[in-house]
Amino acid sequence: MKLKSMSLIVICMSIFLSACSIKLKTKEVESAKYTSIGNELSVFGFGIGENIHNIEDIIQTPVEKKGALYAFPDEKLTVYVDHQISQYIITTNPKFRLSKKITIGTTKERVLSKLKDIGVYEYKPKDQQMSFLFFQMNDQKVALGVTNDKVEKIMIGNKLVPFEQMVTNIPVEEDQVQDADDQFIAQSNLLTFSVNFTKNNHKVLSTKFLDFAKMGLLEGVPAPIGMDKNDLLYKYGQPNFVFKGKGKVDVYYYYKRFNSYMGFTKENKIVELRLPVDVSYQELKERGIPVGEKVTYGDYTLQVAGSNNLADEISISKKGLAD
């Protein structure tokens, strides 16, 4: 009887260990649920977020390891890994492509024409011939290494990877990602940008405009003065564009969905809302909107900027911001 019990225990343990072994070999990324703007799943056989041990088993070609970088020369691929999980890939493989048919060899002009509705920036290192076009699409970040106006290298990763890290492979602390992106963007040039002036003109000429302004709000923009930057990012994701601030404003975020700028202090609080417009001073005056001087309504100040009797921007700021 004891012998049978022992045999049963051994069999159960074997089944348990076998199950564990199967589990360890299970992919972190499920092909059926994986979405990406790149075709890494079909070209390399894995998705970003996959365990590096699984990636090695999938690719089955020699690998060169250097710190957090795993290079697969035969595939013209390098994988950046953190805690055994792939965070982004770097490739010069001509079979790899992004949506909108961006591949190795695509011209810079063609990239910009394909991405004219997305905020594309360019970073030019002082000591390199290669410049880097970078942008965010959906929940992924992309950097393109460009030499002689042609794409030579493509980097794609999850949205939590700082752009600078994708370019330099120097890690950034997790709680410093947004600040790192803001600083990197401040060192770069914006190549694409567009504003829906018609939508904004209707908004500022609405009978409700002043009512919202007096409360530190823009109609249709759920980001009041005083809102925390982290709350904004949590609710609405990354901005389409980031601009360097001036004076007490540290940085400006621009969201295409809201067609407006939010200015933040170094304490990460919104202190200014800016609305690009294209309307005449006369139209504004007819709706009771003061032109030519700052006007204070309680805790908020409204100002119209422009020239030649045409307004090009209206700002609502926290009282005393310009003092």
Side-chain angles (χ1 to χ4, degrees):
M1 190 69 179
K2 288 184 178 180
L3 184 59
K4 288 183 178 180
S5 298
M6 289 294 293
S7 298
L8 185 59
I9 291 171
V10 171
I11 292 171
C12 289
M13 287 185 69
S14 298
I15 293 172
F16 175 77
L17 291 172
S18 177
C20 288
S21 177
I22 291 170
K23 185 176 181 180
L24 288 172
K25 292 181 180 178
T26 300
K27 290 184 179 181
E28 300 283 345
V29 175
E30 295 183 44
S31 301
K33 297 181 180 179
Y34 184 72
T35 58
S36 175
I37 61 172
N39 66 339
E40 61 271 11
L41 198 60
S42 61
V43 174
F44 304 122
F46 71 91
I48 296 168
E50 186 59 78
N51 186 290
I52 187 58
H53 299 304
N54 290 336
I55 292 174
E56 290 180 286
D57 288 343
I58 292 166
I59 294 182
Q60 294 185 341
T61 62
V63 58
E64 299 173 1
K65 302 177 185 178
K66 185 177 181 180
L69 296 172
Y70 287 67
F72 300 87
D74 292 354
E75 299 293 327
K76 297 181 179 179
L77 169 72
T78 299
V79 181
Y80 184 94
V81 175
D82 184 27
H83 291 88
Q84 304 301 314
I85 300 298
S86 56
Q87 304 298 318
Y88 61 92
I89 63 174
I90 307 165
T91 183
T92 57
N93 191 314
K95 294 180 181 179
F96 183 79
R97 61 176 172 76
L98 300 172
S99 60
K100 300 186 182 290
K101 298 181 180 179
I102 296 172
T103 63
I104 301 299
T106 300
T107 64
K108 177 180 175 181
E109 180 182 10
R110 188 170 180 81
V111 169
L112 295 178
S113 67
K114 293 282 186 180
L115 302 175
K116 59 184 178 181
D117 294 325
I118 296 175
V120 180
Y121 295 84
E122 183 175 34
Y123 174 71
K124 295 182 177 181
K126 295 180 180 179
D127 57 346
Q128 295 184 36
Q129 288 187 337
M130 178 175 285
S131 67
F132 297 89
L133 306 183
F134 62 94
F135 57 91
Q136 181 168 332
M137 186 184 291
N138 302 331
D139 285 332
Q140 292 179 302
K141 288 179 177 175
V142 175
L144 307 174
V146 176
T147 304
N148 297 323
D149 288 331
K150 288 189 177 182
V151 176
E152 288 195 354
K153 180 166 60 174
I154 299 175
M155 292 140 278
I156 177 172
N158 68 60
K159 64 180 181 181
L160 298 179
V161 178
F163 285 116
E164 185 174 12
Q165 181 175 334
M166 294 177 71
V167 170
T168 64
N169 297 316
I170 300 174
V172 173
E173 293 295 329
E174 189 174 343
D175 61 349
Q176 297 296 315
V177 171
Q178 190 57 52
D179 288 341
D181 274 350
D182 290 350
Q183 292 173 22
F184 192 62
I185 287 171
Q187 300 173 49
S188 307
N189 296 315
L190 176 63
L191 301 181
T192 59
F193 183 69
S194 62
V195 173
N196 187 336
F197 286 103
T198 301
K199 182 178 179 180
N200 282 357
N201 292 346
H202 283 305
K203 185 176 296 185
V204 77
L205 296 176
S206 164
T207 56
K208 299 178 182 179
F209 177 77
L210 274 180
D211 292 334
F212 279 94
K214 291 174 183 179
M215 296 186 290
L217 286 165
L218 288 173
E219 184 181 359
V221 181
I225 289 176
M227 186 176 190
D228 188 86
K229 182 195 288 186
N230 292 322
D231 290 338
L232 185 76
L233 292 170
Y234 178 77
K235 290 182 178 180
Y236 307 110
Q238 297 292 324
N240 299 97
F241 306 95
V242 178
F243 298 95
K244 187 176 181 180
K246 55 184 177 180
K248 294 180 181 179
V249 177
D250 181 55
V251 65
Y252 286 102
Y253 280 7
Y254 183 88
Y255 284 85
K256 292 189 71 173
R257 68 166 80 180
F258 303 135
N259 245 354
S260 57
Y261 302 84
M262 294 88 177
F264 294 89
T265 60
K266 290 184 178 179
E267 290 72 37
N268 293 332
K269 299 293 183 182
I270 295 179
V271 289
E272 184 180 17
L273 300 172
R274 291 167 52 194
L275 189 71
V277 295
D278 184 22
V279 295
S280 68
Y281 286 170
Q282 184 61 36
E283 288 176 291
L284 295 178
K285 291 176 182 178
E286 289 173 358
R287 285 158 179 80
I289 299 173
V291 175
E293 58 182 13
K294 294 181 182 179
V295 178
T296 299
Y297 300 103
D299 294 328
Y300 309 106
T301 298
L302 184 147
Q303 184 174 22
V304 175
S307 60
N308 299 320
N309 292 314
L310 284 174
D312 53 36
E313 184 177 88
I314 295 179
S315 68
I316 303 166
S317 58
K318 188 175 180 179
K319 182 180 177 181
L321 181 65
D323 296 345

